[in-house]
Amino acid sequence: MASNNLTVLNALDTARTQWYHVTAVIIAGMGFFTDAYDLFCITTVSKLLGRLYYYDPATHAPGKLPHPVNNWVVGVALVGTLTGQLVFGWLGDKLGRKKVYGLTLILMVICALCSGLSFGYSKKIVMGTLCFFRFWLGFGIGGDYPLSATIMSEYANKRTRGAFIAAVFAMQGVGIVFAGLVSMTVSKIFLMIYAGKAFNVDEVFSTEPEADYVWRIVLMLGALPALLTYYWRMKMPETGRYTAIIEGNAKQAALDMGKVLDIEIQAEGEKLAKFKAANEYPLLSNEFFMRHGLHLIGTMSTWFLLDIAFYSQNLTQKDIFPTMGLVSDAKSISALMEMFETSRAMFVIALLGTFPGYWFTVFFIEKIGRFKIQLMGFFMMSVFMAIIGIKYDYLKTKDHKWTFAALYGLTFFFANFGPNSTTFVLPAELFPTRVRSTCHALSAASGKAGAMVSAFGVQQYTQDGNIHKIKKAMMFLAFTNMIGFCCTFLVTETKGRSLEEISGEDEQKNETQMKSNRPVSGHQDDGWD
């Protein structure tokens, strides 16, 4: 296999694992911790919002967000995320990874704080304000996806690249755990001081007036980790690959990477000019389609299908928990107790099912490979969701609630020790430097389109606790996972190879390609070793 001709790229690929690698994982990972916290903490507070703002005495039932309002409160951040991914992904290739990296954090800090504020008292104003700022919060979160993945892939050495990118993404698992933990803690503190009576004892004061502070505090705390990370993110140098290959500044790339790698690297202006000339083709070109068209279809379709299932599981937890018997009937508890029990159930499922899956991927991705992990994850998710769908009547009974919880937890485990991690890793490795951030953004945006199918479509089937509807939803998700399994065959294994070998940017490979007149796409090595 031909190796890179540029010394700076060779140095990056063969560098021993150093402190700067760990620092990059922490800095990029804290962004993902914040992303996950901000996206999923809304699940813990949406029932409380219904109790606070939509109680109708005539119904003699706890207040509940109407379906359209619930869908927008939960789903509007996903619309923002999709938009942000496309905009920041494109900017990452045009202006540089570092230049726009800090902007995403500033947006996240401001909008997390503003999400907890409202410009008035009526339910329309409160929900309108919340949705407006959560859209822009999502916009900032969206930028983190392509930029963090691209920066980490371009910083890492080829031996541990997959594990490092997966470790950045694994911070999403920590964020989901903390979303449950923080919500549980804040609601418990308020319960200890302001506990209300059960709804069937006192309909009005079962919703504690002080609970209006609780959801605001939980949402606003999302600004804290983003704020703490900003200084360190601004200190990171631009990636050597961007500086050399896109800006064409071999000297600066050698200086920047020489400092972080603690070695002396030569600037090779003439070689760089040849390297750039061989890789000038744009995204919307026949050459890109010939080389990477199938890969892009593969990364976009698998992420889209995965996120339909993954976000359905996360965003509809609050609706499935009562059926599983993990939370009490809404009429038998107060508003804050309902939030506490929902948060506790989410925390337990995340800690035992979601969290371990991410780290299994980190530890095994370089041994098993991205391709096999993704196939296994899609297949196992499909199996467990089909079992839940078929046996739902049996599993939802009180005697089998722990079997239900175990099966539900296993779907989370294999999502994360599977396609939820690998769909993030693969687009950061398969595409050329010139369009890497944009291609990752397109793939991630497809994922968020899938998440919107979940928030605005699948969620309709779970909100009322209707058994037949929930069964249909689970069978639909099992089916989408099997299609994801099939679409995985459009991508290729990337472990153990340099980014330039995988994408065909390597100068010697380009010369070979021009002689043989056939596309270089990485299909020649599927990594089944």
Side-chain angles (χ1 to χ4, degrees), residues 44-110:
T44 66
V45 302
S46 58
K47 285 206 167 189
L48 181 62
L49 290 169
R51 289 240 200 178
L52 282 165
Y53 293 102
Y54 287 88
Y55 168 62
D56 181 357
T59 62
H60 298 292
K64 192 175 181 181
L65 291 176
H67 286 195
V69 177
N70 181 78
N71 290 348
W72 277 105
V73 165
V74 172
V76 71
L78 301 175
V79 181
T81 304
L82 186 153
T83 316
Q85 283 164 340
L86 294 173
V87 172
F88 282 109
W90 179 75
L91 287 174
D93 282 335
K94 291 295 172 192
L95 303 179
R97 288 53 162 138
K98 184 192 170 179
K99 280 181 185 171
V100 288
Y101 205 28
L103 188 57
T104 62
L105 280 186
I106 294 169
L107 255 177
M108 285 154 65
V109 170
I110 293 168

Side-chain angles (χ1 to χ4, degrees), residues 49 52-54 117-129 212-213 215-216:
L49 290 169
L52 282 165
Y53 293 102
Y54 287 88
L117 304 173
S118 51
F119 305 138
Y121 297 99
S122 75
K123 59 189 176 188
K124 280 188 178 178
I125 295 292
V126 174
M127 296 302 137
T129 305
D212 198 47
Y213 293 111
W215 69 269
R216 297 174 189 276

